[in-house]
Amino acid sequence: MRLASTKQDPVTFLSLIRQCIDTKSISDIMKVQTQIMKSGFLVGFGDKLIVGYIKCGGVVDARKLFDELPKRHIVTWNSMISTHIGHKRTKEAIGLYKKMILEGVFPDEYTFSSIFKGFSEMGSLREGQRAHGFSIILGLEASNVFVGSALVNMYSKFGQMRDAKLVSDRVVKRDVVLFTALIVGYSQHDEDREALAIFVSMINEGVKANEYTFASILIACGNVENLGNGKLIHGLIIKSGFESVVASQTSLLTMYSKCGLIDDSLKVFKRFANPNLVTWTSLIVGLVQNGKEEVALTKFRQMTRNSINPNAFTLSSVLRACSSIAMVEEGKQIHAIVTKHGLDRDTYCGAALVGLYGKCGSTEMARLIFDDIIELDVVSMNSMMYGYAQNGLGHEALELFNRMKDLGLQPNDATFVSVLLACNNAGLIEEGCQIFSSMKKNHNIELTRDHYACMADLLGRSGRLKEAEALIEQVRNPDVVLWRSLISACGIHGKVKMAERIKDKVLNLAPGDEGTHVLLSNIYASTGNWSQVIEMKTTMREMRLKKDPAMTWVDIDREVHTFMAGDWSHPRSKEILETLKELMERVKSVGYVPNTRFVLQNLEEEKKERSLYYHSEKLAIAFALWRTSNKTTSITIFKNLRVCGDCHNWIKYVSRVVNKEIISRDSKRFHHFKNGLCSCGDYW
DNA sequence: TTAGGGTTAG
């Protein structure tokens, strides 16, 4: 901008400022300001120059000039405050608010409409309440709906829904914005039914819902799985002409998936011409929640192919999908994407990664990620503790549990599932009992089935069978799984009579429960009670109950190889058999003795030994050792059932003679075999 | 010459 050097008049200055606003040029305003100051007009034009700076995005320059002005109009104060709030300069905004009061300028309805947001962003409830009091004194709380909405918002953010409601009740002319703010507040604080009630009263007051209201109320319907109302609102959206608004459609998609109608979510999704990141993420999350993890992963790939970059929300959800169905390799690929986006240290992604690595037995990797997370929360701590629990590292889990208290984090019900499981898997009986009894007393945690299951298993396995039974009887409707763990404990401690008594209880509950039949048959077999075994098996045949065949699989170079006991269909059977033979000789030479107690069939001793020889995990380990190079330091195998005592012992010897770590995930937990020892300490 | 609301995650 070129300025004429001749004398300038007020009209010219005004038009010059307007020109600067149009071209959004801060440097031009500075030139105009210099000119104005030279002409001695600053007092008259200060406010207008500030508006100019603000409109061009020059918050800092506006503030500089603002501080130089001897007198400022209330409008200028308000503009300064709202601009600072808008630019996330919350502290400065609150500073300005205090400064104006000190200088004797009273805040008005415009000031209050923006300043309350500042207090909620700063987390200063007390100061917010003080300002609220001031607005009441000035008669602005109830008379102006802008002020009222801002207050409702502030109290909602602080979770003070009672206060939010009280304010809203006092506001004279309530509009759709105020109602929406209240609905969102209730819904975000798990009071979705109240949110629905507010929606109804809004309609009754004759206030029309808009796309924002619809988006929020659908989330509330989804949260309480109120499909009926959700569908009604879907109809209202169509009637009100908001059918193509992205936000309300995304909420519609979420509502259907939360109500379990994932196909309807997919239908809604199909109508999007250009779904955005939030829409894609909502769909992916919905798929994961409805057990469609593979589809979720396909959608994720489709999304990235469409050049939409994932964020922490998307990636943490996809990672959860991978770990929930043990897609370890896919999970590792997603980890690479997380790293590429610099999100390893994000609370949500970090927690999901910890969960993934914990689940595949790499607690060390999980811990490395965990230690790097910038802001630890209950979930990330729970994930790490659960990882330790699954892998039998009880003391490590307890140490984190204590650290949680030091960090001032409130443990939740999931925390106790992890901690109790950790105690259970590590045989920390006293610690487990103590923590269990503290749950309600000291932490006000509602006991769930999972907590009881852990505790019953812990007591049962340690031989306190009567206590375990009494505990299960405390559960309102104890399920089959709970009782089965007690039967299995009876088996460990040779209490056949008690096992039979519990079996009758279970079969009354669920006559066709094959697990119970298998358990009993195994208990009879291990005590040499072969006639009973035959009877059990006949019953099972008659009832057409089938036992899951034991299976072990191993993932090598992204190819999964599955093995069953005595199954020689693998193309490399010859090599497997040779490796197995060699391994047997080596482990026997250092002390391994086959334990035929674990053969659950009535065979001659030598045949029993042969049958142990070909258990699926032995075949899988032999194959993995043959296929991988000598440099490989660890191999991981997966089993659908629990590992038998003989294989457990055998793998310990193998880990010693081949000098490698062998990680085995069975149906209940991980075992890390190293140098002839197992991480479970032979307690599982 | 100034002001308020919505959608996604463990």
Side-chain angles (χ1 to χ4, degrees):
Chain A
M1 173 182 278
R2 229 182 271 149
L3 293 169
S5 54
T6 49
K7 211 173 79 181
Q8 307 280 333
D9 60 278
V11 180
T12 318
F13 284 141
L14 256 184
S15 93
L16 281 174
I17 294 173
R18 252 184 236 131
Q19 270 180 48
C20 296
I21 292 172
D22 287 344
T23 54
K24 295 227 174 287
S25 166
I26 295 176
S27 59
D28 283 352
I29 303 180
M30 284 176 171
K31 285 182 202 159
V32 179
Q33 186 185 330
T34 321
Q35 197 73 19
I36 289 174
M37 284 166 96
K38 267 193 210 156
S39 321
F41 280 116
L42 186 60
V43 175
F45 280 96
D47 292 332
K48 291 188 177 58
L49 279 167
I50 284 176
V51 172
Y53 278 121
I54 288 173
K55 292 229 162 128
C56 298
V59 193
V60 182
D61 300 297
R63 179 66 200 255
K64 233 165 110 190
L65 175 58
F66 183 83
D67 287 339
E68 284 171 21
L69 294 179
K71 263 183 88 178
R72 306 96 162 180
H73 196 273
I74 172 86
V75 171
T76 315
W77 279 103
N78 289 341
S79 305
M80 286 297 287
I81 289 172
S82 70
T83 306
H84 278 80
I85 298 268
H87 282 81
K88 299 260 169 227
R89 295 173 170 267
T90 316
K91 257 192 178 157
E92 282 112 311
I94 292 176
L96 281 161
Y97 168 75
K98 289 181 180 160
K99 199 169 147 84
M100 80 189 274
I101 296 171
L102 276 175
E103 292 187 14
V105 181
F106 275 20
D108 64 5
E109 60 267 46
Y110 287 86
T111 327
F112 286 122
S113 339
S114 41
I115 199 62
F116 291 129
K117 191 178 183 185
F119 294 121
S120 55
E121 268 170 19
M122 286 293 286
S124 358
L125 175 61
R126 294 289 290 273
E127 279 193 85
Q129 285 167 326
R130 215 171 296 144
H132 178 194
F134 200 17
S135 75
I136 295 176
I137 295 171
L138 295 171
L140 296 167
E141 179 221 36
S143 63
N144 184 292
V145 70
F146 282 74
V147 178
S149 307
L151 274 166
V152 166
N153 248 312
M154 181 182 79
Y155 285 120
S156 297
K157 296 263 155 69
F158 285 118
Q160 312 273 343
M161 292 315 296
R162 249 179 64 95
D163 290 324
K165 180 76 173 27
L166 285 172
V167 171
S168 121
D169 286 343
R170 285 195 289 263
V171 175
V172 185
K173 272 187 92 178
R174 307 199 273 183
D175 70 356
V176 63
V177 177
L178 183 131
F179 277 114
T180 308
L182 200 57
I183 289 170
V184 171
Y186 276 123
S187 169
Q188 284 178 348
H189 290 93
D190 300 326
E191 291 188 60
D192 299 280
R193 279 171 229 285
E194 197 54 41
L196 278 156
I198 297 293
F199 182 77
V200 173
S201 58
M202 179 185 99
I203 303 288
N204 288 341
E205 251 177 62
V207 176
K208 270 195 183 153
N210 64 17
E211 66 263 49
Y212 298 110
T213 329
F214 285 131
S216 331
I217 200 66
L218 281 169
I219 294 296
C221 292
N223 287 343
V224 288
E225 294 175 30
N226 191 333
L227 182 63
N229 278 347
K231 280 188 168 168
L232 272 174
I233 289 161
H234 187 175
L236 272 177
I237 290 179
I238 298 172
K239 250 172 80 182
S240 321
F242 291 119
E243 225 197 338
S244 54
V245 177
V246 175
S248 41
Q249 290 305 297
T250 305
S251 293
L252 191 61
L253 185 160
T254 304
M255 186 276 291
Y256 280 125
S257 69
K258 283 199 175 161
C259 291
L261 300 183
I262 191 67
D263 289 335
D264 290 77
S265 299
L266 283 160
K267 263 187 225 159
V268 176
F269 184 79
K270 264 193 190 151
R271 286 208 301 266
F272 279 88
N274 291 306
N276 64 18
L277 175 61
V278 177
T279 312
W280 277 104
T281 307
S282 306
L283 179 71
I284 290 168
V285 170
L287 287 163
V288 178
Q289 283 167 349
N290 282 275
K292 308 230 175 229
E293 288 86 356
E294 273 115 339
V295 189
L297 219 68
T298 313
K299 289 288 168 194
F300 172 72
R301 293 199 195 97
Q302 217 174 316
M303 180 191 104
T304 47
R305 265 203 305 278
N306 285 354
S307 308
I308 292 185
N309 269 326
N311 65 6
F313 286 94
T314 332
L315 290 169
S316 61
S317 313
V318 181
L319 281 170
R320 292 279 162 199
C322 292
S323 45
S324 79
I325 55 165
M327 293 188 290
V328 180
E329 286 311 312
E330 283 83 354
K332 286 180 181 168
Q333 284 175 27
I334 308 291
H335 186 180
I337 302 175
V338 171
T339 309
K340 207 175 101 189
H341 285 81
L343 290 167
D344 297 70
R345 307 185 69 193
D346 171 79
T347 306
Y348 295 102
C349 287
L353 283 169
V354 167
L356 176 79
Y357 286 104
K359 186 150 195 181
C360 64
S362 317
T363 41
E364 281 169 22
M365 185 65 180
R367 184 62 194 238
L368 280 175
I369 294 162
F370 177 79
D371 284 334
D372 242 13
I373 295 175
I374 295 171
E375 208 176 322
L376 288 176
D377 65 351
V378 183
V379 176
S380 45
M381 301 224 48
N382 288 354
S383 301
M384 193 64 235
M385 282 189 272
Y386 195 70
Y388 281 139
Q390 282 175 303
N391 289 280
L393 300 166
H395 291 288
E396 284 81 350
L398 286 180
E399 186 228 306
L400 277 187
F401 181 57
N402 289 326
R403 192 165 141 205
M404 206 166 166
K405 288 180 215 157
D406 298 340
L407 288 172
L409 289 169
Q410 205 61 263
N412 60 18
D413 57 336
T415 312
F416 286 100
V417 172
S418 301
V419 176
L420 291 175
L421 187 68
C423 292
N424 190 5
N425 282 347
L428 303 170
I429 295 142
E430 283 317 312
E431 289 86 340
C433 290
Q434 227 170 19
I435 289 168
F436 185 73
S437 67
S438 78
M439 283 174 62
K440 211 164 164 73
K441 223 168 42 200
N442 307 343
H443 301 279
N444 197 26
I445 301 275
E446 253 346 283
L447 296 176
T448 67
R449 200 167 291 265
D450 285 340
H451 299 130
Y452 278 110
C454 268
M455 212 42 211
D457 204 43
L458 182 121
L459 289 169
R461 285 204 284 154
S462 65
R464 292 156 73 164
L465 298 162
K466 286 270 173 255
E467 282 173 72
E469 189 178 0
L471 190 77
I472 296 175
E473 271 164 356
Q474 281 177 30
V475 183
R476 197 170 297 148
N477 288 310
D479 60 8
V480 179
V481 183
L482 223 49
W483 287 119
R484 266 198 230 139
S485 87
L486 185 58
I487 299 179
S488 148
C490 291
I492 297 171
H493 297 283
K495 303 280 185 200
V496 183
K497 284 273 169 287
M498 187 168 175
E500 286 174 330
R501 187 166 56 77
I502 309 291
K503 172 206 77 175
D504 293 338
K505 256 189 201 180
V506 179
L507 294 185
N508 269 333
L509 260 163
D513 186 56
E514 68 246 37
T516 304
H517 285 90
V518 173
L519 271 173
L520 250 287
S521 150
N522 288 356
I523 290 173
Y524 290 137
S526 65
T527 50
N529 207 336
W530 300 110
S531 61
Q532 298 279 32
V533 174
I534 293 165
E535 200 179 300
M536 252 2 246
K537 292 208 164 160
T538 316
T539 319
M540 284 177 72
R541 224 181 346 262
E542 279 168 9
M543 293 180 76
R544 293 173 190 274
L545 301 178
K546 258 200 186 149
K547 175 186 168 188
D548 273 347
M551 243 189 275
T552 302
W553 62 97
V554 50
D555 184 341
I556 292 171
D557 296 335
R558 307 207 55 212
E559 200 184 331
V560 177
H561 302 261
T562 309
F563 300 89
M564 281 196 279
D567 171 27
W568 299 107
S569 59
H570 195 278
R572 291 299 183 171
S573 288
K574 199 172 140 255
E575 288 84 354
I576 295 171
L577 195 61
E578 278 166 12
T579 317
L580 192 56
K581 210 172 145 195
E582 188 203 322
L583 272 175
M584 273 299 174
E585 281 163 15
R586 287 175 68 190
V587 292
K588 278 186 174 169
S589 72
V590 291
Y592 163 73
V593 182
N595 188 342
T596 51
R597 193 184 145 233
F598 295 102
V599 178
L600 304 174
Q601 289 153 299
N602 191 13
L603 301 169
E604 293 156 30
E605 205 53 27
E606 194 190 330
K607 279 191 182 158
K608 278 189 178 176
E609 200 178 316
R610 274 332 260 180
S611 112
L612 281 176
Y613 204 110
Y614 301 132
H615 271 183
S616 62
E617 44 269 72
K618 293 194 176 91
L619 302 183
I621 288 173
F623 172 71
L625 288 171
W626 170 75
R627 253 302 289 278
T628 53
S629 84
N630 281 335
K631 284 183 199 144
T632 311
T633 53
S634 89
I635 57 172
T636 305
I637 61 165
F638 302 88
K639 194 178 177 190
N640 63 337
L641 304 176
R642 295 184 72 176
V643 61
C644 90
D646 178 67
C647 284
H648 191 268
N649 189 33
W650 181 81
I651 303 172
K652 287 203 290 189
Y653 281 101
V654 173
S655 74
R656 188 169 134 200
V657 299
V658 300
N659 193 26
K660 287 182 201 291
E661 182 180 20
I662 299 172
I663 302 165
S664 156
R665 195 207 73 190
D666 67 22
S667 62
K668 283 204 90 165
R669 58 170 294 160
F670 279 93
H671 298 265
H672 296 253
F673 298 91
K674 216 172 175 178
N675 301 324
L677 294 171
C678 179
S679 61
C680 75
D682 298 336
Y683 182 88
W684 82 93

